[in-house]
């Protein structure tokens, strides 16, 4: 009888220890999975995004690829959000950009205002909440447009105001421009003169500031060059179409092709 009792007590003890170990192992496994999930949410390089923002104390950070990915992290509240799709809404009559995105755990709304901050930045407001909760966390800070990363290249002018250009119109060489998003500089050849300026972007606008050029005169080519420079100075709306970069203003348009 004593032997049977001893066997039963040993079995109970073994099961208790086993359950305890199982719970501890599950807890550790859950912690590892959470840490792994957090570790997988990494912000892309600033050179690969259209817009970014962060808190002054670096506790939260936002990275946006328009029409693509939103990444948001908040180390204080253990929020690590990423989604491959977002819906973009531009309010009519204003350059206010509103973004919405969600994944399995969170919903995020981003409002990029027209209000300036830190010289070249724009005020940004962010709301993040869990999908199963009604209340979320609000953030506000300063964000910066970088321009679509694909613009960072050298482009040759193909069309002016929709008309294809010919070599005869530009005896020296075809107009071409380099847009450097890292140095925030623009430089190139406008048909008769060398040009350069500072680059700044808004949602879909390219802003060339302090655009300067040499002062040579090239007859009829100079008239075409003046049209080109007027468009570049006019804060053109830009968009990419295949290998073409199109710059448009009320005064005209430029169609540029990426140089191989």
């Amino acid at each position: 009888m004593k032997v049977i009792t001893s066997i039963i007590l040993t079995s109970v003890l073994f099961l208790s220890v086993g359950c305890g170990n199982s719970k501890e192992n599950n807890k550790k496994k859950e912690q590892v999975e959470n840490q792994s999930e957090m570790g997988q949410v990494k912000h892309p390089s600033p050179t690969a995004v259209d817009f970014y923002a962060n808190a002054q104390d670096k506790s939260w950070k936002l990275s946006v690829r328009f029409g693509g990915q939103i990444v948001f992290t908040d180390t204080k509240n253990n929020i690590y959000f990423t989604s491959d799709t977002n819906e973009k809404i531009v309010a009519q009559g204003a350059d206010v950009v509103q973004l919405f995105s969600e994944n399995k755990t969170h919903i995020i709304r981003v409002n990029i205002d027209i209000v300036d901050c830190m010289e070249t930045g724009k005020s940004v407001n962010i709301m993040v909440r869990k999908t199963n909760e009604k209340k979320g966390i609000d953030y506000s800070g300063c964000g910066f447009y970088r321009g679509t990363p694909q613009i960072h290249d050298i482009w040759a002018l193909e069309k002016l105001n929709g008309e294809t250009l010919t070599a005869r119109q530009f005896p020296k060489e075809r107009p071409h421009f380099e847009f450097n998003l890292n140095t925030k500089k623009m430089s190139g050849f406008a048909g008769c003169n060398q040009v350069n300026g500072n680059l700044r972007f808004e949602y879909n606008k390219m802003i060339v500031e302090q655009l300067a050029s040499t002062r040579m005169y090239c007859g009829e080519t100079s008239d075409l060059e003046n049209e080109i420079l007027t468009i570049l100075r006019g804060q053109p709306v830009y968009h990419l179409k295949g290998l073409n970069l199109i710059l448009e203003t009320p005064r005209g348009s430029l169609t540029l092709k990426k140089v191989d």
Side-chain angles (χ1 to χ4, degrees):
M1 187 69 178
K2 289 182 180 181
V3 173
I4 294 174
T5 303
S6 177
I7 292 173
I8 293 172
L9 289 173
T10 302
S11 300
V12 171
L13 181 61
F14 177 78
L15 289 172
S16 298
V17 172
C19 289
N21 288 338
S22 178
K23 290 179 180 179
E24 187 67 26
N25 289 337
N26 288 337
K27 185 177 181 181
K28 287 181 179 179
K29 182 179 178 183
E30 184 178 347
Q31 289 175 345
V32 169
E33 287 176 348
N34 289 338
Q35 290 170 359
S36 175
E37 182 180 350
M38 293 174 185
Q40 289 175 0
V41 179
K42 294 181 179 179
H43 286 267
S45 165
T47 60
V49 300
D50 295 88
F51 183 86
Y52 70 94
N54 51 256
Q56 289 186 347
D57 62 0
K58 309 298 183 184
S59 60
W60 62 262
K61 184 176 180 180
L62 172 74
S63 300
V64 177
R65 292 184 177 124
F66 289 132
Q69 185 186 53
I70 292 179
V71 179
F72 180 83
T73 56
D74 174 0
T75 54
K76 285 185 178 179
N77 294 287
N78 289 327
I79 298 174
Y80 299 84
F81 175 94
T82 184
S83 179
D84 291 334
T85 59
N86 67 61
E87 178 183 354
K88 179 169 69 266
I89 304 170
V90 182
Q92 290 185 347
D95 291 326
V96 175
V97 177
Q98 296 175 328
L99 305 170
F100 168 85
S101 188
E102 62 182 327
N103 60 18
K104 293 180 180 179
T105 59
H106 287 82
I107 292 173
I108 186 170
R109 296 183 186 276
V110 179
N111 188 88
I112 306 171
D113 209 332
I114 59 174
V115 179
D116 295 333
C117 58
M118 295 177 65
E119 295 186 7
T120 61
K122 295 294 181 182
S123 296
V124 59
N125 296 292
I126 305 162
M127 187 284 298
V128 181
R129 68 174 175 84
K130 292 183 178 180
T131 53
N132 59 350
E133 295 181 1
K134 292 184 177 180
K135 291 185 178 180
I137 303 175
D138 295 317
Y139 306 83
S140 61
C142 192
F144 301 88
Y145 290 102
R146 289 201 76 260
T148 300
Q150 291 90 331
I151 292 177
H152 181 84
D153 215 317
I154 300 174
W155 302 82
L157 185 61
E158 291 280 307
K159 296 180 181 180
L160 173 60
N161 300 326
E163 296 185 7
T164 302
L165 301 172
T166 65
R168 183 183 61 81
Q169 293 172 289
F170 298 97
K172 287 186 177 182
E173 58 181 310
R174 183 177 293 272
H176 55 271
F177 309 101
E178 179 179 5
F179 303 110
N180 191 315
L181 302 191
N182 295 331
T183 61
K184 299 180 181 177
K185 298 287 185 181
M186 169 267 190
S187 61
F189 177 71
C192 180
N193 290 279
Q194 300 293 327
V195 297
N196 64 80
N198 298 324
L199 273 181
R200 185 166 63 84
F201 292 90
E202 292 187 1
Y203 162 59
N204 61 351
K205 287 183 181 178
M206 175 188 291
I207 302 169
V208 184
E209 298 176 318
Q210 299 175 347
L211 179 60
S213 70
T214 52
R215 295 173 179 260
M216 291 184 62
Y217 178 71
C218 302
E220 292 182 1
T221 301
S222 289
D223 295 334
L224 293 173
E225 182 179 76
N226 287 334
E227 290 187 53
I228 294 167
L229 295 179
T230 297
I231 294 169
L232 288 174
R233 289 189 174 107
Q235 299 188 4
V237 171
Y238 71 88
H239 65 273
L240 291 158
K241 188 176 181 180
L243 294 177
N244 290 328
L245 170 62
I246 301 171
L247 308 179
E248 296 178 307
T249 73
R251 299 289 297 274
S253 67
L254 305 177
T255 300
L256 303 105
K257 185 175 181 180
K258 185 174 291 190
V259 175
D260 294 332

